[in-house]
Each structure stands twice: as C-alpha cells, then as structure tokens.
C-alpha cells in the first residue's frame, strides 16, 4: 500500500465532486490571498475590514445554503472532505467566529499590517473549517497547519514588543513540537491499517479489536492514539500540553488571545471527535477502534485538565491569563464528551460536545470582544480590577459581560448551562447503561459518576473567579467615566455572542442538527431497561 | 332540584370577587371595593338557600354531591387522584348559608367601619378570599380540599389580624396566631395522613368515615386525636387558645366574622364531621369533653376581670367554643339502649349556629362603640353610653341576653341542649362522675358568662356618661369641635354628649338586621325540633330516638345561674359600684390570677418559646462556629491546590516541551499497564 491509495482511489471527477462542497473555504483562501496581495498597495482598515467581513458572511451564506452537496453514504469514503452533521454545524461556528474576529479587530492594534492580519484571519478560518470536514489524515494535517501558521503570524502582528515576541516564539516552538508528535501518531495509524482514510482506519482498528491479530497491534494502536491525542491536546489545551496557553495569552494582545482560544480549539476538538470515531456510523454494531482505553485516556485528561485549569485560575489577576486557565478548564469539560465516546450506551456525546463548543466559543469570543472594546491606548484593560464599576460607567458593556460570565459559570438559560448539563447527562448515562450491560458494571458506574461529580465540583470552583468579576462589575467603584470613542464593532460582536449564548442555551437543538440528540431524559431505573428510543446496542458480548 | 354544579359556584364567586378586588381595587375600584364582595356573598347565599331547599324536601335527598374536574393525581403503588369534589349535607347545609349571611351583614358593616382606611380594597379583597376559603372548607368532599380551605382561612386570618401592620402589636399578634394555629395544622395534616393510609388511600370523606370504623382502637384514637389537635389550634382550645385574644388587634368586623362567628368554629365542624368514628374511642371523647370543659371554665374566669371590651368578647368566644367541644365530648355510643353521637353533634352544631349570630352581633356592637369612641375599648374609660348610642345599646343588650341564655332567647335553646347531652351522657355505664363534673362545669360557666357579659354591658352602657378624649382625634372633625392639641390627656374623659354620636346608618342597619336573628334563631329552630330533625338526618349518623324528660332540671339550673350572674353584675356595677372595688381587694391574688390570664401566656412562653430560642441559638452557634468553618476550609482546598501547582508554570519553553514529553510518556506507560488500574 502506498500513498496513492488515499488520493487517487477514485477518478478525478469523483474527487472534484467530493471537494466541491468545500467551496466556501476555497473562496476564503482565494479572498485571503487577494487581501494579502492588496495589502502591499494599501493599508486601509475599513476597506480590508469590509472585504474580509463580507467574505466571511458570504462563506457563511454558502455554508447555510450549499450549492454542492457531498455524497454521503454511511462511512464510505468519497474524498478528503466530508460534510456530515458535525462539519456542517462546526463550519457555521467557524465562519461566525471568523466574522467575529474581523469585527473585533476593526479598530484594534496598529494599522500597519491590517490587510495581512485580516487575510490571515481568513486563512485560519478556512483552515479550521477544512479541519472540521477533513476525512483523511493528510487533509487533516494540512488543514491544522493552515490554522497554526496564520496564527503564528497573527500573534506576531498583533503585539510586536518583547512580550509579544516571546509569546509568539513559545507558541511557535511548542506548536511545531506538537505537530511532530501528531504526525508520529499518524504514521503509526497508517502503519497499522495501511490507510489514510479515517473511516477505513477506524473500521480496521475496530475489527482488529474483535479478532486479535498480531500481538503488537493493540499496543501500536494505543501508541498512535496517545501521540495523536498529545498533538491535538496541544491545540485544545489539555493538561499537560497546556503550558503554553497562560504565558502566550498573557504575552499577546486581547486579539491574539481571542484567536488562540477559538479557532485552534474548534479544529482540535473536531479532529479528536473524528479520529476517536464519534462521527463513525456504527448502525448498532460493535465499534471499538481503541478499545476502552481511549475512554480512560480521555477520562484522565478531562479530570486533570478541568481541575488544574480551575484551581490555578483562582489565583490569577491578569485577565488574559485568567481566561487562559478558564479556557483550559472548559477544554476539560469538553474532553468528558470524548471520554464518554461511542461505547455501549453512550449516546449524544457528539451532540454534547458540539453544544459545549458553541457555548465556549461564543462566551470566550464575547468576553474578549468586550475587553477589546474597553481597551484604550496607555490604559489597557489587563487586570480584574480594571473592570471595576463597569456596570455603572457603561451599562451595555457591563450587561453583555454579565450574561457571558453567567454562561461561563453555567447558569440556566445560557449555553454554558445547557452544555454542562448535556455533558453530565452523557456521563451519567454512560455509567448507568454500562452498569446494565457491561461485564464490569461497578467500575464503569463509579468512573462516570465520578466524572459527572467532578464537572459539578469544578463548576462550583469556577463560580468563584467568575463571580469575582461580576462583583467587580457591579459592587466596586470604577474610576473612569464612559469614554466616547470606543469601538462599536467590538461591542456589536459581544452582543452577537450574547445572542448566540442565550439562543443555544434555550434551543440547543439549533446547533445539533444532524448529529443526534443529547439524551435529556433520564434513565428510568436499572431494572426498567433503557428507553426504546435509544439505539444503544444491547447485544454486546460480555467481557469483550 | 338543585344542580350540584351550583355547589362549586358557592366558593367560586367570592374567590373571583377577591381576585377582582385585589387586582383592580387599589387603582380602579378604590372606595367602591366592597361591591364585588357583597354581590358575591349575596349570590352565593341565594345559591346556598336553593341548595338546602332541595335538601329539606320530602324526596329523601339528604346530600348533594358534585364531582368536579380533576385537580391533580399521582402515580405509584397507591395512586392518588384529587378532584374538585363538593358535597352538601345537612351539616354543611347549616354552615354555608350562615357563613354567607353573616359575611354579607359584616361586609356591609365594614363599609362604614373601614371608611377612608388606606387599605380599604386590601381589606375587602382578603375578606372575599376568606369567604371563599371558608365555604370551600365546609363544602369540601375530600380531606385535601378541606385542608386547602383550612389553610386558606388561616392565611386570611393571619393577613387580617396583621391588617394594620404598622402597629407592632398587630404584627406580633398575627405572627402568634399563625404560629399557634400552625401547631394545630400539623396535627390535622398528620391525622389526615393517618386516615389516608389507614383507610386504603382514600381521601373521600364519606369513604373515610365508613372505612375508619374498621381500624384498630389505638389507630383510631391516634388519628382522632391528631384531628382534634387541628381543631384545638383553629378553635382556640386550651392550651392553644392564647392566640385568639391577641387576634383582636385586627379590625373589629374581622373579629366578628373570623374570630367569633365562622373560622374559629371550623374545629367544631371538623370534629362534628368525623364524630361517627371519633365516638368509637370513648377515651378520646372524654378527652375532648374535658379539654372543652377546661377551656370553657378557664376562659370564663379570665373574662371576669378583663378591662378590654374586645378581649372579654374573645374570651367569651373561647369559652363558648369550649361548650361546643363539651357537647361533642358527650357523643357516647356505649350507652345502654341509645347512642348519643347524633344528639351530641346536633347540640354542638346548634350552639355553633346560634352563637355565630349573637357573637357577631356583640362584636359588631363593640365595633360600633369603638367607632364612635375613638377606638377606645377600655371599660374603665367608657360609661353611660346607652344615652349616647341608643341603637348600639339595644344591639349589645340583645347579644348579651342571647349569650347568657335567658329563657326565650337563642342561647338558652342551644345551651340547654348541650347541658342535656352532658347530663344524658352521665347516665352511662361508666365515667358517670366525669360527665357529672362536665355538666356542672357547664352550669358554672353559664353563671360566669352571665356575670362577665353584664359586667361589660353595665360598665359601658350604664352609670354616668364617660366619653374618652380620643373621640376628638379620630376623624370627627366634621362636627366643628376643635380641641387644642396640648390638652390631650390619655385618661381624660369628656362628658360632652354632643361630641360623640351614633355610628352611621351603614353600620347600624346591619346591627338592626342582626338583632332578631341573634335573639330568635334559637327559639325558632330549637323548641320546634326543626334544626334537630334537619341535622340529625345527616348521612352517616344513626337515627336518634331518645327521651330526655328527666333532664329538665338542667334548664332550670342554668336559668338560676344565669339570672344570678346578671343580678350580681347589676348589684356590683350599677347599684353599689364600690362593691366591685371591695371584691377586688378581698379576692386579691385570685383576682390577679384572672386578670393576668392565669399567666398561661407567660408559662407557654417559658416552656416553648424560650426553650426553642435556646435550641435555635445552639444550632446557630454550631452552624457558625463548626459547619461554616468546616465548609470554609473545604472551600480553601482548590485555592491551596492551585497555589501548589502554580510554580510548575515557570515560563521556560524548554521545560514546557519537557513536560509535554513527560506527559506523553506517562500516558503511554499508563495505557500499556493501566488496564489493571481501572478494572
């Protein structure tokens, strides 16, 4: 088997047909190149801003009303890009996020490289959007690099002083390191299965877990998994691959931090979901590409990540550093979905992950938008106390901030609440259902009940530092009055984020179209069997 | 034939009126807020008259029941389904028109009494809700609806006692009433639950009455006792009577309706309703009888020395309620030959009926006095008012005569029946002495009643004219009398008759309407056995055929005691006023005991309130010093943990890469060997 197998297994016209639904992304790439070129002639904020913004809006419209449809038949491979439910909802999120970034940066930073910066946002957005649809390892790697490389440049462009340079370099070095680990893991997967196509890899691995083949395969496959998780764990800031985040966030600007905390995470979680088989259609059959080990790996990652992120966040006074740790904690919550995975009885993990990802991106982007809105030359908004009395001096920004913080805490009617609820539901369900069907019921029950309790405890811990910020907004007295020349575009971004947060909080089904339902209803009882609506396979042989 | 649906309408109209008044009163209706209430009361009253009309007919219909819509239900091994079930039998058929008639009268009176009060619409709104809850309570055919009505009247009572919430005493009284009756309510709820569990998870009252007969005596005793505890709270029986005198802080018409005529009799109604199975437990019966007896005697003794007109009436109410419980206590079913259950129920309910009219009249007269006298109720500061307030005087006198139970008047007929019941019960095979004691308590109480009632009457309406100075302060400025502010002396008394005047017609008219009822309902229904035949036909009560010609002596004795009491009061407060002072000196500590209400409030305060305060202090200290600290230290763990991990973030990129590699290694090792760790 050689590399040809991946890309030329079908005729050129089939290939084009499979790539065609990625038209919005290619459009963004072309537009980004144009903006880049144009920047050598003219650095004009409104011009490039409007072009980039409308480019993203066009891409969004094209994604909502696709011209080309990708052929979809179960797990069959039709090309490097697959447009299933996951890619559909996440590419919308990505385009929205890109548009938000362009709006946020409307008046932010210096204007010398504004064209390049907007072009880079277009590139990174297109990269993240391709990544959520990537269906083979080569495309996945390329699209991830298409996110990373523009990000390095954005980090450098947005803050050029020595702190900015330090953080850019840190991110660059560690990102390369993580890419290397990921590639190494890809090579293992390719080595075992002889394929670069993700559905085929998963299918082969799943079958080999039923019919044990050479001794080395299980171990090799796990090495591959761990390597890939390490590489992608860097993107999603999972402990212990998170170290860059606090330093880099603090060292860069609000804008740089908002790029870092959104696009790579969308890409990383989408890739993790696809590689661990959350999108794989099992039709009720047994599906275990990495046995239960992947569950346990993500269990540890999730619990350590959320706990460490939250407890260290308690000590932070710098806003971006605080949100770096907060982002780590939220990544920990989302890893729970991957831990629940697609094992017996686990339904809706993908939906829960998507809901939480929407929630996370909306909340984080909104908060950074407000920071950018408040920031001004010579008097930056860097520390928690800089937010003092905001609700009085600028009620609109304060109100937006409060809603976003409530969502970050996880109060009802916000996306943050519904996301956490979905994750807890999935974890509980996995524990209970496996208690009915599995050979080792109690350990599973304990593990996943423990995980859901850990989410709740962490939510409580996180409440402290978010509430401290709400307290600063409302109870402390601020010094300055409302300045007149704040960037309205950033405020609009924050408001749109609030709208998205509340909309997803009330109607989570809006963003989970085509990827299954979160099991909102509880489990009747141990004796009462599972709900007949569930597609969970009950015929799993004991003691696999 | 009466459409049973009308039963549901009876509570519905006042409830709607309440909603309308509370919603639109403050802004739109304002001074006209009483109209929805009066209209609803009249309509419901007419409806209830139609209802009893068909109960009385010769068709043999003794109950009308309406199985209304579904309210809620639960699933499970013992499903509960509660609907809006109403039923009218003779017992409720007697109560409902009475409640609605008095509500109409008293609402009309209130129009004058509450005039210009800032909370005018709030008053009538809560009043309407009270009427709705009271009729619901009486008409309920399942215990849950009954409980809903029970709590509803409790809340309205609370709100109306604390109506003038700017007065600290009113607030305190409202809280006290609520807390004390709450003790009773808990008992009622437990009793209901015991019945519910014991009688096959039914809530339907007739079903309960039938099924409860099969319960074991201990279970029966306990369930009945708990129900009676509920009745004790609501009907102010010893030792839970302490809330009722304080409840006089509310507006006087409210005292007349809620705290004399209707709500406080809910306990009597409850026990009468469940008497067929309570009577199966003779121990419980004698307990009820003695609680009633103690209450009747104690309250009468306390009333002897009180100087607050409304409080005297409050204690009188407590005493009369005690009478009714004494009657219920005589409902023995273990007599040879005959069962007294039906007779006892009739006696209690009949007294409840007559009492409602004359006590309402007395309270309204007192209200009229207060209204004219600047809200002064101290007997020592009033006098000779029969010339100032002639109509009120006649009303109060009529009420007093009925209450005392002189021969042709209402009180005589109902009280006589109670005494006859008690006397008959003493002819049983056992417990003869207990019932003889109760009979004599009844007689003595009758004498005391006569004395304290006429003491109040003589002090207020006879002797030289005394008019308190507050008359000038309370809204009588329209007479053109101005009085310099600095000459106000709280104890000063005016002798100027022209300052004080009779209450307006809107208040005297209800009094006049009520007088014939107060005096005559007893004589109308008593000797002709109309009431007896009506009530005794209640389904669930055995037919009664008894002859009590031997008991005529009690009627004679009660007349002797009554006349003696009146005569003594006339002697002490009219003929020789000095005699009262002498008696006061001679009796000394006994007098003080009565004046201070036997120190029962203080005793209960020490026993319950103080001990609870100590307990709450202890719990609070424990909470603050132990649990709070414990929780705080748990809350410190995350921060501590974070602090320990912070140094790892040292800013060195090579260390970060190393950490990532190390993490990778750990995961690899773990996945290779970790299988055993998890399973």
């Amino acid at each position: 088997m050689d590399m040809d197998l991946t890309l030329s297994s079908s005729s050129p016209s089939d290939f084009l047909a499979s790539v065609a639904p990625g038209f919005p992304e290619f459009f963004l790439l072309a537009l980004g190149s144009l903006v880049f070129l144009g920047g050598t002639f003219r650095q004009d904020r409104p011009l490039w801003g409007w072009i980039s913004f409308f480019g993203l809006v066009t891409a969004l419209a094209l994604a909502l009303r696709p011209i080309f449809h990708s052929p979809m038949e179960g797990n069959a491979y039709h090309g490097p890009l697959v447009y299933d439910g996951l890619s559909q909802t996440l590419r919308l999120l990505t385009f929205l996020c890109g548009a938000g970034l362009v709006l946020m940066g409307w008046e932010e930073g210096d204007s010398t490289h504004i064209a390049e910066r907007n072009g880079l946002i277009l590139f990174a957005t297109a990269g993240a959007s391709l990544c959520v649809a990537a269906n083979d390892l080569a495309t996945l790697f390329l699209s991830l690099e298409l996110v990373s490389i523009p990000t390095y440049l954005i980090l450098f462009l947005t803050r050029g002083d020595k702190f900015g340079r330090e953080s850019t370099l840190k991110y660059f070095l560690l990102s390369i390191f993580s890419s290397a680990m990921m590639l190494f893991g890809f090579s293992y997967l390719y080595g075992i299965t002889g394929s670069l196509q993700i559905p085929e890899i998963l299918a082969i691995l799943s079958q080999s877990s039923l019919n044990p083949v050479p001794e080395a395969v299980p171990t090799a496959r796990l090495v591959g998994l761990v390597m890939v998780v390490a590489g992608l764990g860097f993107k999603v800031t999972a402990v212990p691959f998170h170290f860059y985040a606090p330093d880099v966030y603090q060292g860069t600007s609000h804008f740089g931090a908002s790029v870092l905390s959104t696009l790579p995470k969308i890409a990383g979680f989408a890739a993790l979901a696809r590689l661990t088989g959350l999108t794989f259609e099992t039709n009720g059959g047994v599906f275990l590409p990495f046995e239960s080990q992947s569950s346990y790996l993500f269990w540890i990652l999730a619990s350590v990540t959320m706990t460490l992120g939250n407890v260290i966040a308690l000590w932070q006074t710098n806003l971006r550093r605080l949100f770096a740790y907060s982002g780590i904690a939220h990544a920990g919550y989302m890893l729970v979905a991957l831990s629940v995975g697609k094992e017996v009885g686990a339904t809706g993990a993908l939906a829960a992950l998507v809901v939480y990802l929407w929630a996370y991106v909306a909340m984080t982007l909104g908060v950074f938008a407000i920071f950018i809105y408040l920031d001004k030359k010579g008097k930056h908004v860097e520390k928690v106390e800089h937010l003092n009395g905001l609700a009085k001096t600028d009620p609109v920004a304060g109100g937006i901030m409060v809603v976003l913080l409530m969502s970050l805490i996880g109060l009802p009617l916000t996306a943050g609440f519904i996301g956490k609820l979905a994750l807890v539901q999935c974890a509980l369900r996995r524990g209970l259902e496996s208690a009915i069907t599995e050979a080792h019921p109690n350990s599973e029950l304990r593990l996943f009940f423990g995980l859901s309790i850990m989410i709740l405890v962490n939510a409580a811990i996180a409440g402290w530092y978010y509430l401290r910020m709400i307290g600063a907004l409302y109870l402390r007295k601020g010094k300055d009055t409302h300045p007149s020349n704040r960037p309205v575009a950033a405020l609009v971004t924050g408001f749109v984020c609030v709208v998205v947060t509340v909309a997803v909080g009330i109607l989570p089904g809006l963003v989970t179209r085509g990827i299954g339902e979160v099991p909102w209803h509880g489990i009747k009882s141990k004796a009462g069997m599972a709900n007949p609506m569930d597609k969970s396979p009950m015929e799993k042989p004991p003691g696999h | 034939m009466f459409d049973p649906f009308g039963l549901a309408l009876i509570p519905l109209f006042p409830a709607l009126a309440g909603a309308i008044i509370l919603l639109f009163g403050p802004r739109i209706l304002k001074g006209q807020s009483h109209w929805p209430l009066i209209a609803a009361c009249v309509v419901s009253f007419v409806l209830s008259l139609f209802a009893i009309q068909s109960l009385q007919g010769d068709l043999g219909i003794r109950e009308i029941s309406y199985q209304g819509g579904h309210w809620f239900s639960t699933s499970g091994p013992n499903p509960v389904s509660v609907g809006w079930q109403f039923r009218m039998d003779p017992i409720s058929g007697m109560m409902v028109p009475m409640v609605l008639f008095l509500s109409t009268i008293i609402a009309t009176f209130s129009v004058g009494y509450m005039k210009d009060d800032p909370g005018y619409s709030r008053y009538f709104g809560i009043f309407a809700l009270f009427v709705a809850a009271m009729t619901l309570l009486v008409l309920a055919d399942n215990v849950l609806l009954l409980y809903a009505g029970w709590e509803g009247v409790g809340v309205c009572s609370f709100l109306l006692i604390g109506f003038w919430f700017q007065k600290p005493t009113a607030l305190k009284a409202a809280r006290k009433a609520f807390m004390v009756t709450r003790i009773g309510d808990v008992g009622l709820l437990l009793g209901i639950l015991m019945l519910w569990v014991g009688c096959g998870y039914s809530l339907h009252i007739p079903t309960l009455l039938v099924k409860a007969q099969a319960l074991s005596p201990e279970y029966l005793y306990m369930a009945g006792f708990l129900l009676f505890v509920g009745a004790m709270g609501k009907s102010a029986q010893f030792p839970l009577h302490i809330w009722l005198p304080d409840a006089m802080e509310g507006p006087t018409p409210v005292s007349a309706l809620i705290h004399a005529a209707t709500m406080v009799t809910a306990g009597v109604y409850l026990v009468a309703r469940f008497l067929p199975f309570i009577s199966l437990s003779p121990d419980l019966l004698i307990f009820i009888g003695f609680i009633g007896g103690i209450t009747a005697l104690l309250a009468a003794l306390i009333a002897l020395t009180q100087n607050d007109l409304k409080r005297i009436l409050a204690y009188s109410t407590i005493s009369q309620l005690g009478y009714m419980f004494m009657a219920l206590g005589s409902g023995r079913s273990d007599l040879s030959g005959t069962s007294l259950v039906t007779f006892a129920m009739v006696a209690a309910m009949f007294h409840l009926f007559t009492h409602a009219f004359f006590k309402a009249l007395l309270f309204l007269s007192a209200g009229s006095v207060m209204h004219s006298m600047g809200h002064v109720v101290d007997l020592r500061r009033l006098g000779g008012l029969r010339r100032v307030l002639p109509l009120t005087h006649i009303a109060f006198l009529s009420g007093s005569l009925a209450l005392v139970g002189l021969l042709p008047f209402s009180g005589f007929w109902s009280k006589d029946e109670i005494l006859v019941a008690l006397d008959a019960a003493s002819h049983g095979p056992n417990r003869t002495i207990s019932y003889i004691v109760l009979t004599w308590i009844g007689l003595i109480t009758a004498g005391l009643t006569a004395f304290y009632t006429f003491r109040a009457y003589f002090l207020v309406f006879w002797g030289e004219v005394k008019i308190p100075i507050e008359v000038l302060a309370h809204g009588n400025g329209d007479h053109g009398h101005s009085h310099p502010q600095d000459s106000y002396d709280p104890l000063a008394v005016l002798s100027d008759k022209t300052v004080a005047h009779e209450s307006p017609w809107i208040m005297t008219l209800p009094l006049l309407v009520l007088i014939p009822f107060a005096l005559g309902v007893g004589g109308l229904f008593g000797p002709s056995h109309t009431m007896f035949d009506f009530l005794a036909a209640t389904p669930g009560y055995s037919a009664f055929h008894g002859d009590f010609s031997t008991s005529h002596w009690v009627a004679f004795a009660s007349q002797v005691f009554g006349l003696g009491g009146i005569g003594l009061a006339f002697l002490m407060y009219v003929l020789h006023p000095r005699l009262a002072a002498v008696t006061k000196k001679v009796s000394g500590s006994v007098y003080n005991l009565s004046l201070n209400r036997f120190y029962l409030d203080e005793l209960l305060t020490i026993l319950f309130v103080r001990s609870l305060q100590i307990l709450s202090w202890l719990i609070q200290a424990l909470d603050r010093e132990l649990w709070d600290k414990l929780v705080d230290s748990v809350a410190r763990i995350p921060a501590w943990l974070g602090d320990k991990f912070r140094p790892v973030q040292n800013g060195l990129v090579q260390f970060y890469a190393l950490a990532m590699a190390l993490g990778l290694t750990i995961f690899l090792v773990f996945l290779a060997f970790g299988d055993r760790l998890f399973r």
Side-chain angles (χ1 to χ4, degrees), chain A residues 363-523:
Chain A
M363 306 183 294
T364 313
L365 207 65
V367 166
F368 279 119
I370 297 299
F371 289 165
I372 288 173
Y373 168 73
L374 298 174
D375 217 40
K376 57 188 171 198
K377 287 237 160 55
K379 203 174 172 193
H380 292 291
V381 176
E382 290 281 322
K383 300 205 174 267
V384 175
E385 63 253 36
H386 292 157
L387 298 174
N388 284 0
L390 182 63
K392 291 239 170 54
T393 58
D394 191 341
V396 178
I400 290 174
M401 194 73 187
V402 165
V403 178
L404 295 170
L405 284 170
M406 282 177 171
S407 180
L408 286 162
I409 294 171
L411 296 183
L413 291 187
T414 62
F417 166 76
I418 211 78
K420 278 200 189 68
L421 183 66
L423 290 172
V424 169
Q425 280 276 17
C426 289
L428 286 178
R429 225 178 150 74
R430 163 86 192 260
L432 281 173
E433 296 261 354
S434 57
I436 302 170
T437 50
E438 298 246 345
H440 306 284
N442 286 333
S443 66
E444 288 264 306
L445 195 67
R446 272 202 301 273
L447 274 178
F448 284 94
F449 270 47
L451 199 56
S452 33
I453 290 169
M454 213 157 349
I455 296 175
L456 302 180
V457 170
N458 267 290
I461 296 172
W464 191 82
Y465 55 85
Y466 294 130
L467 281 173
R468 196 179 52 170
M469 292 171 70
I470 295 183
L473 292 176
Y474 276 87
L475 306 177
R476 299 274 160 75
K477 262 190 109 108
K479 271 174 260 170
D480 54 330
T481 50
H482 189 301
S484 53
N485 54 347
R486 281 176 171 164
V488 183
L491 193 68
V492 170
T493 315
F495 181 73
V496 172
C497 288
V498 165
V499 171
V500 171
T501 305
V502 174
V504 174
I506 295 168
L507 295 168
L510 284 179
V511 298
T512 59
R513 206 164 288 162
I515 46 176
E517 289 279 311
V518 177
W520 299 115
H521 51 87
I523 295 201

Side-chain angles (χ1 to χ4, degrees), chain A residues 170 226 230 243 247 296 315 321, chain B residues 639 643 649 651 656 659 671 679:
Chain A
K170 268 183 187 169
V226 171
F243 280 105
D247 291 11
Y296 301 144
W315 290 92
R321 208 174 173 80
Chain B
D643 195 34
Q649 194 78 35
Y656 292 172
L671 282 186
R679 287 278 153 102

Side-chain angles (χ1 to χ4, degrees), chain B residues 105 108-109 361 364 505-515:
Chain B
I105 297 278
T108 316
F109 182 87
L361 178 62
L364 290 187
W505 65 269
I506 192 83
M507 290 168 69
T508 48
L509 188 70
L511 288 182
L512 292 179
V513 172
L514 214 44
I515 287 172

Side-chain angles (χ1 to χ4, degrees), chain A residues 166-338:
Chain A
E166 183 196 329
S167 66
T168 309
L169 195 63
K170 268 183 187 169
Y171 184 67
F172 176 62
L173 290 173
L174 295 173
S175 176
I176 293 174
F177 184 45
S178 79
S179 294
M181 289 194 289
M182 183 170 62
L183 267 184
F184 192 58
F186 282 179
S187 73
Y188 263 74
L189 296 183
Y190 179 66
I192 299 166
T193 59
S195 172
L196 285 180
Q197 304 171 0
I198 293 171
E200 196 176 351
I201 293 173
L202 293 171
I204 293 172
L205 289 179
S206 176
Q207 273 160 23
S208 69
S209 74
L210 293 180
N211 321 305
V213 269
E215 261 313 301
V217 167
T219 318
R221 145 175 95 186
L222 292 178
V223 172
L225 173 70
V226 171
M227 286 292 182
V228 169
V229 167
L232 290 169
F234 175 86
K235 303 266 184 274
V236 303
T237 62
V239 176
F241 314 106
H242 72 288
F243 280 105
Y244 74 95
D247 291 11
V248 175
Y249 280 38
Q250 190 176 5
T252 186
S253 63
H254 289 314
F255 185 77
S258 54
V259 174
L260 261 191
S261 60
T262 49
L263 292 178
K265 285 202 179 176
I266 301 174
F269 273 111
L272 277 175
R274 223 174 262 293
L275 282 173
T276 53
L278 278 183
T279 54
F280 194 82
E281 287 183 26
T282 54
N283 296 322
V286 176
F287 173 69
L288 281 172
F290 300 103
E291 299 210 11
S292 302
Q293 308 289 25
S294 76
S295 255
Y296 301 144
L297 177 66
F298 284 116
W299 193 97
I300 298 171
L301 273 177
S303 50
V304 173
T305 303
M306 67 173 99
T307 310
L308 203 77
N310 275 324
V311 294
I312 302 186
L314 292 178
W315 290 92
Q316 305 308 321
T317 51
N318 182 288
L319 284 172
R320 283 194 304 276
R321 208 174 173 80
L322 178 85
F323 274 93
Y325 282 113
S326 146
I328 293 171
H330 286 289
Y333 302 140
M334 286 184 265
L335 286 168
V336 169
L338 294 161

